[in-house]
Structure formats: C-alpha cells, structure tokens
Amino acid sequence: MIRFVGFVIFLIPTLVLGNLAEELEKKYANLLDPLVEEGMLPSYFLSVSDRNGLIFDRGLGTSGAIIEKDPTSQTPFALLSLSKPIVALAVLKLLERENVSLDTSVSKYLPEFEDARVCGESASVTDIKIVDLFRHTSGLGNNLEFSGARSNQMRSAGCTRELAQLYQDQALMTFSTVLGPNTKNTSLEDQVEKLSSLPLLFKAGHDFQYSLSTDVLGRIAEVLSKESLDVFLKDLLFEPLGMKNTGFYVDEEDRYRRATLMKPLIRTFPVPGTYQRFEKYPFRQFEVAGIGDKVNVVSAGMGLVSTGEDMTKFANFILRELSLHDGSVFLPASMSDLIFENQLPSILGENPLKGKLPRASGDGMSLVFNIRAKDRRYREVFERKDVDFFYWSGFSSSVFWVDTVTGVSGVFLSQIRPTQNYLIGDLDRIADSLIMAK
C-alpha cells in the first residue's frame, strides 16, 4: 500500500505536465499550422520551455522549404537578426571579464572612429561609447537589405536613404559581401574600417537606428579577446551553454537538412486557391545555396546559424536569469539591470522605438533585447510586474521570448524575409492563458 501511494504522488506532476504539453501544442498548432498549409509560411520550428526544461517542441514544413518532411530540433536555421542578442550577451561577459566600462569610447579599441562625424556637420566630431553600440544609439546606419524601418522613417540630420544606399554601394555587411565569391577586403576588420570612414546619421546617444552596431561590437570583441569572433563566441558562450550546433559555418554533411531561406513571391495577377506565397532567396547569385556554406565575413549582426535545440538552451538560460546548469552565474547580479531593464536614454523621447522597429511601439530595450509591457505603454523604468515578456524578433520571421512571470520561454524559427507575420504577441499569449489557468 505504501508503495502504491508513493507511486501515485510521483505520477501526479508528470500527468499535469503531460496534459499541459498536449494542450499547449494543440493551441500552437491551431495558430501556426494553417499558415504553412495555406502557403503563408514555408516552415517553422517551435519550442516552449519552463525553468525545468522543455515542455514540448514541434515543427512543420512544406515542399521546397526543407528537404526533410518537417523541421526538428536538429534542423539548422539561419538566425539573421537573432544573431544580435547572442553576440551582445557574450560581449557583455567579455567587458565584465576585462573590467571595461560601457562608457568607454569605441575609439579606444578602434581608433578609426576617433573622428566620427555627423552627416552634414563637418565640424562636429561625436564620441561613440560602447554602450551606444548595444542600444543602437551609435549613429551608425544599415544597408538597404537590413534596414529596420522603411526608408521614409529613417531619421537623420540631412541624410536618410542616401546613407543606406551608400552602405549598400560600399557592400557593408550585405549578403554579397558575407557570402559572395569576391573575397577582397571582406574581413570583419576591413568592413568596420570602411564603415568608420562614412558619416553618422546623428550624434551618438541622441537617437535610435537599427544598425550595424552589433558588427562593430563583434570587432571590439576580437580586439579585446585577441580571438576571431567565431572562436570568441564558442569559448565564451556556446561551450558553457552546450550550444554545439551554433556558429557561422554549416558542415557540408548537415546542409541538406537546413531550412531554406525564402522571400515573398511577387505576382502581378491574382491566383485563385491555395498556393505558396514565397520563393527561394536567390543565393545562387553568390555561388552558395544558403547562409553557412561559405563565410567571407563573420557578421555579428546577421551571420549565425543555429538549431531549435541550441536556441531553446539560450532562451532557457535567459529564463533562469543567466544561471548555468552547474549552478554558476554567467554574469554578476550587479549587471542584471543591463539585461532586464530599459537602457534607452531619456533624450530619445516618450516612445523611442515607434517607427524605428516593426511592431515595437511602446517597447523598451535593454542591452540585449526588447522589453514589452503588459499595457504596451513605454516607460523609462519597466518594473518586473509591468513586463509582459522580453524578446527579440528577427527579419527572417524568427523570434525568441522569455516570460519571467509565468516562467516560460519560447523559440520560434522560420525562414522568410522580410517578415510577413509578426507572431510574438500571439505566441506569448497562448502560453500565458493556459499556464495561468493551471
């Protein structure tokens, strides 16, 4: 009898978790599967975890979007913009290890930025701080391929689309530069040096612009660590977290399993019925089949490739407040505010990200990712009780989110750019509704 009672007590948590996993997966399938079946989304992988680990994962793919029937936790996905928070967190660790202040001038480690000038203000020299690179207030811009806002929303003191076009013309972190056959002057050092010779959009610290700032952070990491960016990330972050399948290069034997990056299919005439509303991104023009085949430049801002398993480990690591599995803490508690609290300066106004990042109006930003309040209203200080979730959304439709109130993290990986479906609110809401009900 005693053995029987003990057996029942042991089973109850397992049964509860099992029921929750089934309910969650069903809710998410009802949201996501029709997007694939109706030709809106090429493929996806989704995982949801709590602080104890994985609750469930699932994947669904369509013909031409992936070789295997459905993505699994081992399917490689190009992270594109999801590379940024990974690199930012690793660089924070490096700065802490080397005792480097965030207020240090970028020019201390990259002297080429010493004479950084704002566009249209030839006599004005601006001092870019390392912190400006984390929060995209450096004054740097982006090329046309990866601009975070439409060209008519890009603000500056006199040059808007022109500078984005100049970045494109100079091949600064474009697909062609990172992946193409031309390998001349395409090291990260070369790219950053070329970037430093161009004017800034605005005085550092005075505005926000989604930019190549993370790539400059990557170059600072190389200078400080005396390692190439790929080696630095592996040593400082990927190995401690067990992210064995994350990096800039995909082994040849694994490429057949890689999810294919797509772009929206443009038609000039209506087509009745259900059809795939996307087509393969034209990587063949760069003499590769996809991101990870060849790496001319290790781009900190868009170059990483990972799997659902590895990204689940990363999101769950954030959920555990940066606690490693052996119980050690990745960063001291004194740095927690840099990761979980808003770091945008008050000079940016009452709604700094409005019109600057898609669907981010009202959100705040730490040095690693965005912060969303439950009421979608911006405040200079986001109390934990007011936070709905922390997240970062990439321009390949991928996203990860961390909800420290419900104790859930999630990873959604897909491969279509520009993003057609902004799902982050729905993804978090499903977990909230079921977990809070339990």
Side-chain angles (χ1 to χ4, degrees):
M1 182 65 179
I2 295 175
R3 290 182 180 177
F4 178 75
V5 172
F7 180 65
V8 172
I9 292 172
F10 176 77
L11 268 183
I12 287 174
T14 305
L15 291 173
V16 171
L17 180 59
N19 291 337
L20 175 62
E22 290 177 8
E23 291 181 58
L24 277 172
E25 185 167 4
K26 183 178 180 180
K27 289 280 189 181
Y28 280 111
N30 289 339
L31 169 69
L32 299 172
D33 288 6
L35 295 177
V36 176
E37 293 161 356
E38 295 170 12
M40 304 297 294
L41 198 65
S43 63
Y44 77 83
F45 171 85
L46 172 74
S47 71
V48 177
S49 304
D50 62 15
R51 290 185 176 93
N52 295 316
L54 183 71
I55 297 176
F56 83 93
D57 62 20
R58 67 178 279 110
L60 187 65
T62 189
S63 176
I66 188 169
I67 298 299
E68 294 182 336
K69 182 177 183 296
D70 299 316
T72 71
S73 63
Q74 301 304 310
T75 301
F77 282 81
L79 295 184
L80 296 175
S81 305
L82 251 59
S83 304
K84 290 179 172 65
I86 294 173
V87 172
L89 192 57
V91 176
L92 274 179
K93 175 63 177 178
L94 177 64
L95 297 181
E96 184 263 338
R97 189 184 74 182
E98 300 295 327
N99 197 28
V100 175
S101 169
L102 287 164
D103 288 326
T104 303
S105 297
V106 169
S107 60
K108 178 175 180 178
Y109 301 103
L110 302 176
E112 57 265 37
F113 282 96
E114 193 168 14
D115 295 323
R117 297 178 184 275
V118 176
C119 182
E121 300 180 16
S122 59
S124 176
V125 177
T126 183
D127 184 24
I128 306 172
K129 307 291 188 184
I130 291 178
V131 69
D132 290 314
L133 298 175
F134 282 97
R135 62 194 186 190
H136 294 267
T137 56
S138 63
L140 295 170
N142 214 329
N143 58 55
L144 293 177
E145 291 178 357
F146 291 99
S147 294
R150 296 176 181 176
S151 59
N152 63 355
Q153 294 173 321
M154 294 172 61
R155 296 174 56 200
S156 73
C159 50
T160 52
R161 183 181 175 86
E162 290 79 7
L163 189 59
Q165 184 65 61
L166 188 56
Y167 275 48
Q168 192 74 29
D169 294 342
Q170 294 287 321
L172 290 170
M173 290 301 171
T174 61
F175 275 137
S176 178
T177 301
V178 174
L179 304 172
N182 182 11
T183 60
K184 183 179 180 181
N185 297 323
T186 53
S187 69
L188 180 57
E189 180 180 6
D190 292 335
Q191 286 278 290
V192 170
E193 186 171 353
K194 186 185 295 185
L195 179 63
S196 70
S197 68
L198 301 180
L200 301 176
L201 283 167
F202 48 79
K203 185 177 180 181
H206 283 64
D207 206 341
F208 174 93
Q209 177 63 49
Y210 182 79
S211 68
L212 297 185
S213 291
T214 309
D215 290 293
V216 180
L217 266 184
R219 177 58 189 151
I220 288 178
E222 288 189 330
V223 173
L224 271 173
S225 68
K226 297 180 175 59
E227 295 177 319
S228 62
L229 182 61
D230 55 335
V231 174
F232 156 73
L233 289 173
K234 181 180 179 181
D235 291 346
L236 207 63
L237 187 66
F238 298 156
E239 287 191 349
L241 266 61
M243 296 173 66
K244 298 178 181 179
N245 296 305
T246 304
F248 295 98
Y249 188 79
V250 180
D251 291 337
E252 191 168 355
E253 61 267 25
D254 293 327
R255 293 175 193 169
Y256 80 96
R257 296 188 293 111
R258 175 179 51 196
T260 303
L261 186 63
M262 300 287 185
K263 66 175 184 174
L265 180 63
I266 305 301
R267 292 185 182 271
T268 58
F269 55 90
V271 177
T274 299
Y275 64 93
Q276 292 183 0
R277 295 167 172 82
F278 45 81
E279 59 185 338
K280 289 184 179 180
Y281 209 88
F283 282 118
R284 290 295 180 188
Q285 63 181 299
F286 308 131
E287 300 183 6
V288 296
I291 294 175
D293 286 6
K294 179 173 60 178
V295 184
N296 291 330
V297 182
V298 284
S299 171
M302 53 78 76
L304 287 173
V305 179
S306 188
T307 62
E309 180 181 52
D310 277 11
M311 287 304 296
T312 299
K313 290 177 180 178
F314 181 75
N316 200 249
F317 168 64
I318 302 293
L319 180 64
R320 298 192 312 270
E321 308 271 343
L322 309 191
S323 175
L324 297 169
H325 284 294
D326 63 5
S328 62
V329 178
F330 187 73
L331 285 169
S334 60
M335 298 186 70
S336 177
D337 61 329
L338 301 176
I339 299 161
F340 295 103
E341 296 181 14
N342 185 44
Q343 298 297 314
L344 296 176
S346 58
I347 195 173
L348 301 191
E350 297 180 353
N351 196 353
L353 301 186
K354 183 178 181 180
K356 308 292 185 61
L357 283 179
R359 311 293 177 89
S361 179
D363 291 350
M365 187 175 181
S366 74
L367 298 193
V368 177
F369 36 57
N370 287 349
I371 306 169
R372 177 157 296 179
K374 295 173 183 176
D375 59 7
R376 293 302 305 271
R377 295 180 62 186
Y378 180 79
R379 61 267 281 162
E380 193 170 340
V381 177
F382 286 75
E383 301 288 347
R384 281 294 183 98
K385 62 182 177 63
D386 298 322
V387 173
D388 195 0
F389 52 84
F390 305 93
Y391 77 100
W392 192 258
S393 182
F395 286 103
S396 62
S397 303
S398 298
V399 65
F400 76 88
W401 79 97
V402 174
D403 189 331
T404 58
V405 174
T406 58
V408 168
S409 64
V411 172
F412 175 80
L413 300 177
S414 189
Q415 297 285 258
I416 183 168
R417 67 172 303 272
T419 297
Q420 301 296 293
N421 298 284
Y422 290 88
L423 298 168
I424 179 58
D426 293 328
L427 292 170
D428 178 71
R429 199 174 299 115
I430 288 174
D432 274 0
S433 61
L434 282 178
I435 290 172
M436 296 299 284
K438 296 292 182 182

